[in-house]
Amino acid sequence: MTYGCNNVESAAEELMKWTKMGPKWRKAVQLCIEAVEDRATPEEARKAFEAAAREEGVLRSSD
């Protein structure tokens, strides 16, 4: 199954479903919150989300 996130809110919702809540996950959650509050950019949140997805083992390859 593939899930696509196209906004910060859906990325944050997806993060809440994951089992690994390590440092990259925490950073992604924090940046999603900050992006919603206009204290971080969506691009910063996207990069953190991708790093957390790699850590979780769910980032789909672009190949």
Side-chain angles (χ1 to χ4, degrees):
M1 179 187 290
T2 300
Y3 179 81
C5 294
N6 61 5
N7 60 58
V8 174
E9 291 84 0
S10 66
E13 287 176 18
E14 187 61 22
L15 285 166
M16 294 299 122
K17 299 175 187 175
W18 295 0
T19 58
K20 295 179 185 172
M21 297 178 180
K24 292 179 182 176
W25 179 87
R26 284 190 290 280
K27 183 172 182 166
V29 169
Q30 184 62 42
L31 281 168
C32 284
I33 291 167
E34 290 177 12
V36 168
E37 296 173 346
D38 290 327
R39 295 186 294 125
T41 67
E43 180 67 14
E44 291 170 311
R46 183 189 63 78
K47 287 180 182 179
F49 179 88
E50 287 178 356
R54 259 187 239 95
E55 183 178 68
E56 177 76 6
V58 296
L59 183 65
R60 183 176 164 189
S61 172
S62 60
D63 296 339

